[in-house]
Amino acid sequence: MMHHPLIGTPQDRVDGRAKVTGAARYVADFETGAEVLHAHVLNSAIATGRIRRIDTSRALAVPGVVEVFTHENRPRTAWFSSAYKDDVGPPGKPLRPLYDASIAYSGEPVALVVAESYETARYAANLIEVEYEAKPHETDLLKQLPNSYVPKKRRSGINPPPRPKGSAASALENAPVKHVARYLIAAEHHNPMETHATTVIREADGKLLIHDKIQGAYATKHYVCSVFGLSEDAVRVVSPFIGGAFGSGLRPHYQLFLAVMAAMALERSVKLVLTRDQQFTIAHRPETWNEIALGAKPDGTLSAIRHKAVGSTSRYEDYQEAVVNWTNLLYSAPDVELEYELVQLDIETPSDMRAPGAPLGAFAAESAMDELAEKLGVDPLALRLHNDTQIDEVMNKYHTSKELRAACQLGAERFGWRHRPLAPRSMRQGRELIGWGLAFGAWEAQMQKHAARVMLDAEGHCTVGVATADLGTGTYTILAQIAAEALGLSMNKVTVLLGDSALPQAPVSGGSWTAASAGSAVHDACARLKAELLLAAQTRNDSPLVGAKLEEVMFDRERIVLMRDPMRAVSLQAAFAAGGRPRIVADGQAGPDQLTQLRYSSHTHSAVFVEARVDEELGQVRVTRVVSAVAAGRILNPKTARSQVVGGVVWGIGMALHEEAMPDHNLGRWMNHNIAEYHIPVHADIHEIDVIFAEEKDLLTSPLGVKGLGEIGIVGTAAAVANAVWHATGRRVRELPMTIDKVLGLTPARTEAR
Amino acid sequence: MPDDLSPRGPETVALSLTVNGTSHSLHIPVWTTLLDLLREGLGLTGSKKGCDHGQCGACTVILDGKRVNSCLVLAASRDGSEVRTVEGLASPDGALHPLQEAFIKHDAFQCGYCTPGQLCSGVALLEEGHTRTEEEIREWMSGNLCRCGAYPNILAAILEVARKEGRA
């Protein structure tokens, strides 16, 4: 008799039916009808300065308006900025909405209208008169490059660049082959399809039930309790479905503060949904400048790497991410200098956005490797493999596993890389030039401390609870698979509960750590539950399992079976009857293993192969074929895993060709704050995307052997598109996105203009 | 300052609307969009607001047989109309529409927020006969954005149903 495996098999999403019937409830779907008040935010029209006068009288006169909050009548909240710190924020002083008359960026909230209907609140907000005293602002990263600085306080969880190794300067001077260039990536906005929103339900006893767009319920709960001085039991956060977040929901945003403030002050339930315009005032991927220098021997062996990146941040927080470390993680060199600095601008604090930092550094490094290959006259894949390393030279540790070479081989074969002509402009079909490019990518495989609870009853109904969120990543489904397989149940007997602060504590879902961490916690809870259930099954002296140890039995088809003699088995029902309890509840834990972390470094890796077709006259680029070959440990569910990587690839194509938050430096604000003018890929932009998972056994990374897949799909993709565009056209574009003007060579490079 | 805005509420208007086979007689403020009426007035929250400007397609519903961005439709202008939303795609007995089944099978969504709009667009597209080739589907579905990047899977789902129904 074989145990029926679920882990590793393609499974439909368990929340699929809810999502295709409209039954899945997102933040704004809670509490409709007349009981709830609707709130609308008015945002600052200036980038920096102060409010001289704010007149809300005309807004208050609109029938149906309940209250207008400004800094002048804001209810008292926490005094110190430290109370506004969230679970993952960077060093600095977090935004305190409506705190005083000062303005830190264009789009900072200056007033909140609360009314009986959404339309009324929105209309009344237009009637508020604000007089500003504007001060000079600065929003231009390139202009401020001379003022870049190393952040004084490092951000928790982000590794700063390591100390220099050897002397990159002299090694570069002596290198027979050299490549030096600058690369720039535009600021991007997350733009999840669901805008940020909070629905606060004020219950009869004054307690708050909060539905918030957040990547983990506890992040919202901690923030609200801290800012408003509420006790833990006065706040419950329930967000079962999140309409995408991609990092924008890691930190609580101003709509949470404002909605809770209004609900408490007015003693009513309040719903606050940001508009798409306002979505551009809360978080973004920072515009990032890179300068990279590679030195090599004539045989292609790298002798030196110098990679410096400067990212933008706000005036009030030092947002940091890992941009440059990846270059030396992927490629070995004796002399290495990596630097990462910040420039302060009058903008909102940037935020983690899908694979924060990695695709920015990878765009620079992987474009530079291609340019070096061109100078050496070698195949860019061969150059990469020649300099590949099995050691993490940044942290000076061995990898827990690294099957990048295997992934690369599978990907190259599927793509047909060996048929690629070395010279650019070698392939053409009709009016389109065809180019093939590739890039490598890497992302951290992490474990975060998670708790989980699993409950099983005599009918075999199992409930799994973890407080973290499913952002569309498939967490509901993989946790159901893990529990069902561990307990020998079919998938439809398992109910997974997520996104509720009443469930065992878990951090925000991000950094690709949720599958490994939440999955391991559920696995641990199931192991404990099985031990208890076996004990229950052995209560009676005549139990067929008498004397059996946990490792000697398996849980299969709602029975506990002795492996060496499958005829000896106890059904779940009999076990529960014998134990005398209607249900068994078990708590599990998972977290990073510190000894492993000391010794090893753990990453996912990928090799991305891209075919781009470029209309020679119009400069229009189409990415017609992508093969993303990924080594990411054990794959729990090939169906949702593939979707994760496909999504990352789509993001990479967007970064390469479309996405650009355009600042107006005169006004100090984003100009294209809507999704007609901030372009993201649409159906017509996306063609064939093939995903391959290389086999990778790795029990050091996590107990389940899982590494995580949320980020790796995007990392190398933009660079691979740029390399394919070069191969098609012979033109190297070093600034993203590669819009038509750049592909046609009509726009001078901004990094060279100064 | 905008002088033409005055602090007064809107007029209300009578409206009858059939939504997923159920007729409603309503009195609504004239400024109410079809999307806000469905969501806040009738509690049909399946249709989603992604931009409120007709740029994302998350609010797509089938209005008198045609797919529209319901955020751009003033409800008052469609007296006597028939609306089909994501909640009305499955049969009353709960059996899913073939496209809903295909979406699940092909994993044609991740977060699920754009899904009601993708489904309504896809269902109308099949009925309009714009599903003959992959390129045609991509082009005609391009008003429905999916930030999770499920496009290849949405295409596969629509194509499968189109082939089964002899529309591809």
Side-chain angles (χ1 to χ4, degrees):
Chain A
M1 183 167 55
M2 273 302 294
H3 194 63
H4 189 60
L6 287 166
I7 295 177
T9 64
Q11 295 291 332
D12 293 344
R13 281 172 204 259
V14 296
D15 49 347
R17 190 181 169 96
K19 284 180 175 175
V20 300
T21 55
R25 291 175 93 192
Y26 301 80
V27 170
D29 301 341
F30 287 95
E31 204 74 352
T32 59
E35 311 80 45
V36 65
L37 294 174
H38 294 261
H40 190 80
V41 178
L42 181 70
N43 303 81
S44 163
I46 60 164
T48 178
R50 54 188 294 280
I51 300 166
R52 192 183 286 144
R53 188 183 69 90
I54 186 159
D55 182 354
T56 60
S57 57
R58 294 178 75 216
L60 282 164
V62 175
V65 169
V66 176
E67 183 59 285
V68 180
F69 293 98
T70 70
H71 67 280
E72 290 175 349
N73 68 343
R74 169 183 58 81
R76 281 192 61 164
T77 46
W79 188 259
F80 295 107
S81 67
S82 57
Y84 291 74
K85 287 262 183 204
D86 56 82
D87 292 357
V88 297
K93 292 184 171 178
L95 180 74
R96 287 173 287 177
L98 305 187
Y99 190 72
D100 56 26
S102 66
I103 300 293
Y105 68 90
S106 177
E108 178 178 339
V110 298
L112 182 78
V113 182
V114 187
E116 298 290 347
S117 82
Y118 164 68
E119 293 87 345
T120 306
R122 185 182 56 185
Y123 176 69
N126 288 317
L127 302 178
I128 298 172
E129 293 171 24
V130 191
E131 260 182 51
Y132 296 99
E133 190 179 307
K135 287 188 194 152
H137 59 259
E138 185 53 73
T139 52
D140 191 338
L141 169 72
L142 295 184
K143 221 162 127 186
Q144 289 299 308
L145 276 183
N147 299 326
S148 70
Y149 62 95
V150 177
K152 277 197 192 73
K153 198 173 167 198
R154 63 166 278 216
R155 180 181 172 202
S156 167
I158 303 296
N159 287 329
R163 289 167 192 280
K165 278 192 299 187
S167 168
S170 64
L172 279 165
E173 208 167 299
N174 299 324
V177 187
K178 248 181 294 194
H179 171 68
V180 187
R182 290 166 184 174
Y183 302 87
L184 184 69
I185 302 99
E188 295 183 329
H189 279 86
H190 306 72
N191 277 313
M193 295 315 298
E194 175 193 39
T195 59
H196 276 255
T198 304
T199 303
V200 182
I201 297 169
R202 192 180 176 280
E203 296 181 323
D205 56 3
K207 289 184 179 176
L208 302 180
L209 172 61
I210 301 176
H211 306 290
D212 185 36
K213 185 180 173 87
I214 192 79
Q215 291 178 229
Y218 277 91
T220 292
K221 180 168 173 154
H222 292 157
Y223 177 86
V224 169
C225 289
S226 171
V227 171
F228 295 96
L230 297 171
S231 65
E232 291 269 312
D233 66 344
V235 178
R236 180 174 172 194
V237 179
V238 179
S239 304
F241 291 101
I242 300 296
F246 315 107
S248 68
L250 291 170
R251 306 184 68 186
H253 289 294
Y254 65 70
Q255 96 285 347
L256 170 66
F257 172 92
L258 294 172
V260 173
M261 176 197 77
M264 288 176 65
L266 302 171
E267 302 189 350
R268 292 279 300 273
S269 296
V270 173
K271 186 190 285 193
L272 172 49
V273 182
L274 295 190
T275 64
R276 181 56 60 181
D277 291 23
Q278 290 166 342
Q279 189 69 28
F280 287 76
T281 65
I282 56 167
H284 66 277
R285 193 197 291 278
E287 185 181 14
T288 302
W289 173 94
N290 288 267
E291 186 173 73
I292 194 158
L294 300 175
K297 296 176 188 168
D299 72 347
T301 308
L302 286 175
S303 54
I305 298 173
R306 203 184 63 218
H307 186 173
K308 179 177 179 175
V310 180
S312 50
T313 190
S314 67
R315 297 278 182 209
Y316 50 96
E317 287 172 310
D318 271 354
Y319 172 76
Q320 297 156 54
E321 54 190 27
V323 178
V324 293
N325 300 9
W326 312 100
T327 311
N328 191 210
L329 179 83
L330 284 172
Y331 302 115
S332 175
D335 294 275
V336 180
E337 193 180 323
L338 304 172
E339 292 176 90
Y340 173 65
E341 296 185 355
L342 299 178
V343 153
Q344 282 196 350
L345 300 173
D346 296 299
I347 55 174
E348 74 275 18
T349 303
S351 124
D352 297 302
M353 180 164 157
R354 205 163 195 172
L360 313 178
F363 171 61
E366 288 298 89
S367 296
M369 282 299 278
D370 244 52
E371 296 195 64
L372 184 67
E374 184 192 349
K375 284 188 179 156
L376 289 160
V378 299
D379 173 49
L381 174 55
L383 178 70
R384 283 176 171 83
L385 291 174
H386 182 70
N387 288 288
D388 173 42
T389 163
Q390 286 304 303
I391 295 169
D392 173 352
E393 293 189 4
V394 179
M395 303 302 287
N396 236 332
K397 293 173 189 175
Y398 285 103
H399 287 286
T400 54
S401 61
K402 183 181 176 183
E403 293 297 341
L404 173 61
R405 296 182 87 92
C408 199
Q409 196 177 347
L410 291 168
E413 227 160 84
R414 179 82 57 90
F415 188 82
W417 185 260
R418 67 196 160 91
H419 302 298
R420 177 184 181 271
L422 202 56
R425 300 183 68 87
S426 300
M427 298 188 288
R428 168 193 293 276
Q429 193 174 37
R431 35 189 300 151
E432 285 182 323
L433 297 162
I434 302 170
W436 290 358
L438 96 151
F440 284 176
W443 182 252
E444 294 169 283
Q446 304 176 71
M447 285 279 284
Q448 296 279 343
K449 198 163 178 265
H450 272 65
R453 184 164 299 153
V454 177
M455 187 174 80
L456 183 70
D457 70 17
E459 276 71 53
H461 295 296
C462 171
T463 307
V464 174
V466 188
T468 197
D470 184 334
L471 319 169
T473 42
T475 307
Y476 278 111
T477 309
I478 56 155
L479 296 186
Q481 284 175 270
I482 291 166
E485 177 165 314
L487 300 173
L489 306 169
S490 60
M491 290 273 286
N492 60 17
K493 284 286 189 89
V494 181
T495 305
V496 179
L497 302 175
L498 297 174
D500 185 340
S501 67
L503 295 167
Q505 190 148 351
V508 284
S509 179
S512 292
W513 63 57
T514 300
S517 313
S520 297
V522 169
H523 194 253
D524 183 52
C526 289
R528 290 166 198 268
L529 193 148
K530 281 155 69 172
E532 284 204 43
L533 198 56
L534 178 61
L535 269 182
Q538 292 168 329
T539 314
R540 287 166 57 113
N541 290 335
D542 58 348
S543 167
L545 299 177
V546 143
K549 293 183 181 135
L550 189 58
E551 59 271 23
E552 294 170 339
V553 299
M554 64 179 184
F555 289 67
D556 186 37
R557 282 169 254 186
E558 301 188 25
R559 294 174 319 143
I560 310 170
V561 184
L562 192 66
M563 281 190 274
R564 63 170 177 272
D565 181 4
M567 297 301 284
R568 288 169 63 184
V570 174
S571 71
L572 289 189
Q573 268 189 331
F576 274 99
R581 281 188 289 174
R583 66 184 72 85
I584 297 179
V585 181
D587 285 336
Q589 302 278 339
D593 183 279
Q594 296 191 336
L595 205 62
T596 309
Q597 282 190 322
L598 272 176
R599 287 184 188 156
Y600 295 97
S601 155
S602 187
H603 292 86
T604 54
H605 294 91
S606 76
V608 196
F609 301 83
V610 165
E611 176 181 277
R613 290 171 182 249
V614 184
D615 185 304
E616 199 178 5
E617 280 176 78
L618 301 179
Q620 194 184 28
V621 181
R622 297 193 303 138
V623 174
T624 43
R625 207 154 59 85
V626 180
V627 175
S628 183
V630 174
R634 190 178 185 193
I635 303 304
L636 293 169
N637 181 345
K639 185 176 264 193
T640 53
R642 174 183 168 275
S643 293
Q644 281 276 85
V645 177
V646 165
V649 168
V650 170
W651 273 58
I653 293 171
M655 175 180 262
L657 301 178
H658 311 126
E659 296 197 35
E660 179 175 20
M662 299 174 179
D664 177 328
H665 295 308
N666 288 321
L667 291 171
R669 61 160 52 176
W670 309 114
M671 285 189 288
N672 54 341
H673 43 85
N674 60 73
I675 41 182
E677 292 164 296
Y678 179 97
H679 293 163
I680 66 167
V682 303
H683 275 280
D685 295 311
I686 300 304
H687 299 267
E688 212 181 301
I689 300 173
D690 213 341
V691 178
I692 301 173
F693 294 110
E695 197 174 318
E696 193 174 65
K697 290 210 165 66
D698 185 342
L699 286 172
L700 288 169
T701 291
S702 67
L704 287 171
V706 173
K707 282 188 171 179
L709 286 168
E711 339 277 330
I712 189 64
I714 186 178
V715 179
T717 304
V721 174
N723 293 338
V725 167
W726 170 80
H727 189 240
T729 63
R731 179 165 285 118
R732 176 59 63 176
V733 183
R734 301 193 183 91
E735 299 183 3
L736 298 183
M738 293 181 284
T739 43
I740 286 169
D741 52 323
K742 294 175 197 162
V743 173
L744 290 176
L746 303 175
T747 315
R750 289 174 61 219
T751 53
E752 306 302 332
R754 287 159 204 273
Chain B
M1 277 285 106
D3 290 334
D4 54 330
L5 297 175
S6 67
R8 61 182 162 77
E11 309 284 323
T12 60
V13 65
L15 171 75
S16 59
L17 212 56
T18 305
V19 183
N20 300 328
T22 306
S23 46
H24 300 270
S25 290
L26 306 155
H27 272 275
I28 58 158
V30 288
W31 62 18
T32 311
T33 65
L34 178 58
L35 175 62
D36 287 327
L37 174 63
L38 290 170
R39 289 180 51 81
E40 304 293 338
L42 302 178
L44 291 169
T45 54
S47 306
K48 297 293 185 254
K49 186 181 283 188
C51 70
D52 223 8
H53 285 61
Q55 298 170 347
C56 76
C59 66
T60 307
V61 299
I62 304 169
L63 179 65
D64 295 329
K66 284 190 176 160
R67 54 202 180 122
V68 298
N69 289 320
S70 62
C71 74
L72 293 185
V73 177
L74 273 179
S77 70
R78 301 308 296 247
D79 189 28
S81 285
E82 272 197 39
V83 185
R84 201 170 165 206
T85 70
V86 69
E87 289 95 339
L89 295 181
S91 318
D93 68 359
L96 295 179
H97 185 282
L99 193 60
Q100 290 173 309
E101 295 278 9
F103 263 53
I104 294 174
K105 178 182 162 193
H106 290 280
D107 208 32
F109 50 86
Q110 292 179 37
C111 81
Y113 197 81
C114 75
T115 312
Q118 303 278 358
L119 281 163
C120 286
S121 251
V123 166
L125 202 68
L126 286 159
E127 287 163 9
E128 287 164 21
H130 289 301
T131 54
R132 282 165 298 192
T133 65
E134 291 190 10
E135 281 311 299
E136 190 179 27
I137 297 171
R138 285 193 183 108
E139 190 64 34
W140 285 78
M141 285 299 290
S142 282
N144 289 85
L145 305 185
C146 168
R147 188 52 158 162
C148 297
Y151 297 127
N153 298 357
I154 297 171
L155 174 75
I158 296 175
L159 202 60
E160 182 183 271
V161 177
R163 283 186 180 141
K164 271 188 198 156
E165 296 183 353
R167 297 175 190 270

